[in-house]
Amino acid sequence: MTPAAERITSPAAERTTSPAELDAIAERARRASAALVGTPAAARARWLSAAADDLDAAADELVELADRETSLGRPRLPGELARTTAQLRLFAEAILEGSYIEATIDHADPAAVPPHGDLRRMLRPLGPVGVFGASNFPFAFSIAGGDTASALAAGCPVIVKAHPAHPLLSHRTAEIVDAALTAARAPAGTFAMIEGRDAGTALVTHPAVRAIGFTGSLHGGRALFDLAAGRPDPIPFYGELSALNPVLITSAALEARAAELAEGLVGSFTLGAGQFCTKPGVVLVPRASGFADRVGAVLGAGANASADASTSAGPRMLSAAIASGYGDGVQALTAHPSVRVVAGGAAQASAAAADGRASVALFETAAATVLADPDALLVECFGPAALVIEYDDRAQALAVLGAIGGSLTATLHAEPGEPVDDVVAAMTAIAGRVLFAGWPTGVAVTWSQQHGGPWPATTSIHTSVGVTALRRFLRPVAYQDAPDPLLPPELREANPLGIPRRVDGALTLD
Amino acid sequence: MTPAAERITSPAAERTTSPAELDAIAERARRASAALVGTPAAARARWLSAAADDLDAAADELVELADRETSLGRPRLPGELARTTAQLRLFAEAILEGSYIEATIDHADPAAVPPHGDLRRMLRPLGPVGVFGASNFPFAFSIAGGDTASALAAGCPVIVKAHPAHPLLSHRTAEIVDAALTAARAPAGTFAMIEGRDAGTALVTHPAVRAIGFTGSLHGGRALFDLAAGRPDPIPFYGELSALNPVLITSAALEARAAELAEGLVGSFTLGAGQFCTKPGVVLVPRASGFADRVGAVLGAGANASADASTSAGPRMLSAAIASGYGDGVQALTAHPSVRVVAGGAAQASAAAADGRASVALFETAAATVLADPDALLVECFGPAALVIEYDDRAQALAVLGAIGGSLTATLHAEPGEPVDDVVAAMTAIAGRVLFAGWPTGVAVTWSQQHGGPWPATTSIHTSVGVTALRRFLRPVAYQDAPDPLLPPELREANPLGIPRRVDGALTLD
């Protein structure tokens, strides 16, 4: 961690891309878009790999910059950069494999009802994509993060709005990506960075932009979603906004491993000062389980260096605004008449917030209280706070899950063989990812990842992490009775790229 | 066709589902939704087949009702019913095949960057879906049409708002579908019909409803889209709204087969009184080609019974509002100082509209005129009208395609071997389906169909026709480290359903 005095305030933090600059950038992106439609996946895979290689080569410099601007430290930052470059390479691998474009061929069938000609369908890039970098992942959800990687992989030019919390890192990352893409012969205009709140707003309403990827707050995300939906030509807004990430622990699990669960929970909800979209904010436990006090004891013992509840000298948060918002959230829970403060609380949080720091807070209440006052109690508190909710019985616990609504994750801790079908069904109904072990912080970048869930977790039915994030930036086009040479290679009869396709209804691997 | 005097005005046309009735219907749908999540695809396939069988069995009665209410006649109506029941059966087949749920398994990998546990992902139903029936397809885009079929196939309960243009047919179709589903043991609340404009509005904003399928006008669709996006919890609105469906004919094609092209165009733009969302509304031809007059001659010769431009006694339109709107559109084009009326025109259209009928109209103008006044000239005129646009050269023709923007289809008539890559690229950029022969009316129901395109053709990146229409009503859920028995069968290690899956990155057919 970097002491406050050493934190940098770069002139770059003040910069705003002007409307004229944005127009020029968008026009270049529009022209690049026309060139990108025709680029082979192999070319785009090379660009992504080149960007990954050059970012890895600059790891020392980038991690140093990131730490100066975010205080996230080691091993987090080198790990996040490695995850980010692995992500670029995974998208390269996925587009080479080829099934992401969903090539589908139906030969002419005069006997069908109704009869039809030769129809061939694949996904094509949407066009220029606007991406908003997030404060809490300076690499993985920022300039060269998942939205950028998936949009480029899909064949869409990217205009990324840098988050003001890490301007120098953003600039340097963008320089490296731009140089890598240029050296790998991506069309001019394939990638650009902009800065400033007004430029971000203008990006969402710019006629050349065909979709937006966003990770951030419910308030800010909703405002931009409304702008995107309110355009003369509405565009998709893929926002990942807010989540409570409930955890439910059964009596049997508590009996078997309460100490381990308490340690695990503390590790997860205080990780990175609780500034993860997958932070477990709500923990459902049986009534009179004593679990909250056990967790409080773990916090009091200072088992986790970043979870010291006894002082305001907690970890620096990502921005003054986040620290202030976190302080307000802790204050509201502390002030609630039916909530017990187990650790931390308003006084510590206020003192910490004034210094831009986080103070760990743990609260406890009853499920009946939550059900009576969901709007006050079921609110994301972005920072190292968690609310333990004691339930009387399974039905009440399920009611709380229902009241929580959309979430990125839901986690169940039960013992093998316990009847939990009802909990799994309730969790599946509200979450994008249901965990049966461990804790929700930590989002693997794989083919099967789902990082998204019902509103307000996300604004769409897609994911922002994992290979299928590609789908957000593609739209289908069908070709009817096309001469073979005029078809994209993916749809030509001979399947020159050797990709998986569906032919006359049957999936083929080639 | 049915004379005006025999047209029915049922008391049902006046009915409006009350707010209390809608609440009760939505609550039943919400409960059915919880049951549907767990139903096997095989069960849902049986429901769809049962509905198809019972609708086919009632074909005579349904076609008779449809003709009384729409005047669409034979062979159109029996054909449309057959297409509708074939569509129900195709979705049944698709969900049995199983790849629509995109089952994906990544086994735990401690060597990955970052390491990850066991992750398994599939698509799950969104929940209750609201469907708006269209006036122009009383079967295929109505009570038991594509939106209903795809939502039920996906495992979502459906609440369909009947179009007031065919209330008796809607009632009878809904009765048959509901009885078939009930007999096939679908959960109560899986299907319901509502009526009335206010009930439709309330459906879009009802908390229980998770998505909307809509086919209709740009004006009405935009209003409902705004309601869906403006909810406290925005939901996806899948609307198919408006399209010009441009056709481009090269000099070589005209030299080779002008007469055939003129006959084909007349057949397509006057089909069903031009009341198709895929009606070719704009035809680009080389300057001084004489093509418009050739088409006018076909119309004048009365080669097509429904295309008689010499009288106002054309076919009855679907509703008085549509006839009136068509009359206004023809009037506006007639009044434009740089547009030549080739056939029909304001006087005939007004007289016909007053009688609820359509009068065929053909116009001609120059590409330069269109580019100078696109807002007046590039407007969908829903009915049997087309605008022939003469272009000076390829670049000007491409500029007109660009100005047209999003469309359901784009059709190219060229000769074999002509260099048309630039036209294909321009058409791919604006349309969901690009045709190289024939005419855009007629939308096959297949795996590779794409019925949707950039705004204003549709409000989403999905299709409303074809197997992938399913994707609109599904959202992904990932299970992390789940015990095998707690997983849905689609994701269990042994693949008991034998469906195609992606395992550790590799597609497998089982």
Side-chain angles (χ1 to χ4, degrees), chain A residues 171-188:
Chain A
H171 267 269
R172 188 66 189 117
T173 308
E175 273 176 10
I176 293 170
V177 169
D178 192 37
L181 295 180
T182 302
R185 301 197 201 165

Side-chain angles (χ1 to χ4, degrees), chain B residues 253-329:
Chain B
L254 273 188
E255 275 167 37
R257 48 194 167 99
E260 175 195 331
L261 289 166
E263 292 274 357
L265 174 62
V266 167
S268 186
F269 92 85
T270 65
L271 187 71
Q275 299 165 115
F276 285 90
C277 39
T278 52
K279 180 204 77 173
V282 158
V283 186
L284 289 148
V285 297
R287 188 159 61 139
S289 65
F291 186 67
D293 287 322
R294 189 183 276 273
V295 176
V298 174
L299 291 170
N304 185 307
S306 67
D308 185 353
S310 63
T311 161
S312 65
R316 175 166 296 284
M317 297 196 82
L318 290 159
S319 73
I322 286 176
S324 162
Y326 175 67
D328 293 347

Side-chain angles (χ1 to χ4, degrees), chain A residues 99 428 433 475 480 502, chain B residues 99 428 433 475 480 502:
Chain A
S99 50
T428 299
R433 180 163 54 113
R475 69 178 178 88
Q480 184 169 323
R502 182 174 298 276
Chain B
S99 50
T428 299
R433 180 164 53 112
R475 69 177 178 89
Q480 184 168 324
R502 183 176 297 278

Side-chain angles (χ1 to χ4, degrees), chain A residues 103-504:
Chain A
T104 308
I105 296 174
D106 292 313
H107 292 101
D109 184 356
V113 178
H116 63 78
D118 184 278
L119 264 175
R120 293 166 190 244
R121 179 187 200 261
M122 65 179 282
L123 304 183
R124 314 282 335 225
L126 266 187
V129 169
V131 169
F132 284 73
S135 65
N136 61 340
F137 280 89
F139 293 117
F141 288 80
S142 194
I143 302 296
D147 285 341
T148 298
S150 53
L152 289 175
C156 298
V158 169
I159 302 171
V160 56
K161 191 243 167 210
H163 197 285
H166 44 267
L168 292 184
L169 176 65
S170 296
H171 267 269
R172 188 66 189 117
T173 308
E175 273 176 10
I176 293 170
V177 169
D178 192 37
L181 295 180
T182 302
R185 301 197 201 165
T190 297
F191 173 85
M193 188 188 90
I194 63 168
E195 287 172 283
R197 190 189 178 89
D198 291 348
T201 305
L203 182 66
V204 176
T205 54
H206 199 286
V209 173
R210 306 320 310 160
I212 298 289
F214 173 93
T215 302
S217 73
L218 178 56
H219 178 77
R222 175 78 206 217
L224 294 177
F225 171 87
D226 289 343
L227 280 180
R231 289 169 55 124
D233 55 336
I235 59 173
F237 181 88
Y238 302 108
E240 190 255 271
L241 308 185
S242 173
L244 284 175
N245 303 301
V247 176
L248 188 149
I249 307 179
T250 65
S251 305
L254 273 187
E255 276 166 34
R257 47 194 167 101
E260 176 196 331
L261 289 167
E263 292 274 356
L265 174 62
V266 168
S268 185
F269 91 85
T270 66
L271 187 70
Q275 298 166 116
F276 286 90
C277 38
T278 52
K279 180 204 76 171
V282 158
V283 185
L284 289 149
V285 298
R287 189 157 62 137
S289 64
F291 185 67
D293 287 323
R294 189 184 278 271
V295 176
V298 174
L299 290 171
N304 185 309
S306 67
D308 185 351
S310 63
T311 160
S312 65
R316 176 166 296 282
M317 297 195 84
L318 290 159
S319 72
I322 286 175
S324 164
Y326 175 67
D328 292 347
V330 169
Q331 197 141 19
L333 284 169
T334 304
H336 196 285
S338 302
V339 168
R340 177 168 79 91
V341 178
V342 182
Q348 290 95 322
S350 294
D355 193 30
R357 294 176 182 277
S359 167
V360 172
L362 184 71
F363 302 95
E364 186 195 64
T365 192
T369 304
V370 169
L371 293 171
D373 195 7
D375 291 345
L377 295 169
L378 297 177
V379 178
E380 186 183 26
C381 185
F382 194 76
L387 174 64
V388 174
I389 301 174
E390 293 202 335
Y391 58 80
D392 292 338
D393 53 29
R394 179 67 60 88
Q396 200 184 39
L398 297 184
V400 172
L401 288 177
I404 285 172
S407 198
L408 290 168
T409 71
T411 303
L412 171 62
H413 284 287
E415 288 301 284
E418 269 195 274
V420 289
D421 284 346
D422 52 352
V423 183
V424 176
M427 289 185 162
T428 299
I430 63 165
R433 180 163 54 113
V434 180
L435 294 87
F436 294 82
W439 303 92
T441 40
V443 181
V445 182
T446 68
W447 288 81
S448 57
Q449 185 56 274
Q450 174 59 25
H451 191 63
W455 178 272
T458 40
T459 60
S460 82
I461 57 172
H462 297 278
T463 182
S464 64
V465 178
V467 170
T468 59
L470 274 165
R471 183 63 181 86
R472 299 175 297 166
F473 304 120
L474 297 161
R475 69 178 178 88
V477 175
Y479 299 88
Q480 184 169 323
D481 296 321
D484 205 64
L486 290 179
L487 284 167
E490 290 87 345
L491 296 180
R492 289 185 196 145
E493 190 65 18
N495 194 11
L497 301 180
I499 59 171
R501 310 199 289 189
R502 182 174 298 276
V503 180
D504 297 329

Side-chain angles (χ1 to χ4, degrees), chain B residues 62-464:
Chain B
L62 292 172
V63 166
E64 166 63 21
L65 272 175
D67 195 32
R68 280 168 63 195
E69 294 188 311
T70 68
S71 306
L72 290 172
R74 297 169 186 269
R76 155 70 188 269
L77 288 169
E80 190 187 324
L81 176 57
R83 168 209 173 90
T84 302
T85 56
Q87 182 164 261
L88 287 160
R89 293 188 184 98
L90 178 61
F91 281 115
E93 185 189 312
I95 61 176
L96 287 174
E97 192 263 357
S99 50
Y100 80 101
I101 58 114
E102 301 180 8
T104 308
I105 296 174
D106 291 313
H107 292 101
D109 183 357
V113 179
H116 63 79
D118 184 278
L119 265 175
R120 294 167 190 244
R121 178 187 200 261
M122 64 180 282
L123 304 184
R124 314 285 331 229
L126 267 187
V129 169
V131 169
F132 284 72
S135 65
N136 61 339
F137 280 88
F139 293 116
F141 287 81
S142 194
I143 302 297
D147 286 342
T148 297
S150 53
L152 289 175
C156 299
V158 169
I159 302 170
V160 58
K161 190 247 170 207
H163 197 285
H166 45 267
L168 293 184
L169 175 65
S170 295
H171 266 269
R172 187 65 189 119
T173 308
E175 272 176 12
I176 293 170
V177 170
D178 193 36
L181 295 180
T182 303
R185 301 197 200 165
T190 297
F191 174 86
M193 189 188 88
I194 64 168
E195 286 171 286
R197 190 187 176 89
D198 292 348
T201 304
L203 182 66
V204 176
T205 55
H206 200 286
V209 173
R210 305 321 309 158
I212 297 290
F214 174 92
T215 302
S217 73
L218 178 57
H219 179 76
R222 176 75 205 221
L224 295 176
F225 170 88
D226 289 344
L227 281 179
R231 290 168 56 123
D233 56 336
I235 58 172
F237 181 87
Y238 302 109
E240 190 254 271
L241 308 186
S242 173
L244 284 175
N245 303 301
V247 176
L248 188 148
I249 306 179
T250 65
S251 304
L254 273 188
E255 275 167 37
R257 48 194 167 99
E260 175 195 331
L261 289 166
E263 292 274 357
L265 174 62
V266 167
S268 186
F269 92 85
T270 65
L271 187 71
Q275 299 165 115
F276 285 90
C277 39
T278 52
K279 180 204 77 173
V282 158
V283 186
L284 289 148
V285 297
R287 188 159 61 139
S289 65
F291 186 67
D293 287 322
R294 189 183 276 273
V295 176
V298 174
L299 291 170
N304 185 307
S306 67
D308 185 353
S310 63
T311 161
S312 65
R316 175 166 296 284
M317 297 196 82
L318 290 159
S319 73
I322 286 176
S324 162
Y326 175 67
D328 293 347
V330 169
Q331 196 141 20
L333 284 169
T334 303
H336 196 284
S338 303
V339 168
R340 178 168 78 93
V341 179
V342 181
Q348 289 95 322
S350 294
D355 193 30
R357 295 179 181 275
S359 166
V360 172
L362 184 71
F363 301 95
E364 185 195 61
T365 191
T369 304
V370 169
L371 293 172
D373 196 7
D375 291 346
L377 294 170
L378 298 177
V379 178
E380 186 182 26
C381 184
F382 194 75
L387 173 64
V388 174
I389 301 175
E390 293 202 333
Y391 58 82
D392 292 337
D393 53 29
R394 180 67 61 87
Q396 199 186 37
L398 298 184
V400 172
L401 288 177
I404 286 171
S407 198
L408 291 168
T409 71
T411 302
L412 172 60
H413 284 289
E415 288 302 283
E418 269 195 276
V420 290
D421 284 346
D422 52 352
V423 182
V424 176
M427 289 184 162
T428 299
I430 63 166
R433 180 164 53 112
V434 180
L435 294 87
F436 294 81
W439 302 93
T441 41
V443 181
V445 182
T446 69
W447 288 81
S448 57
Q449 187 55 278
Q450 173 59 24
H451 192 63
W455 178 271
T458 40
T459 61
S460 82
I461 57 171
H462 297 279
T463 182
S464 63

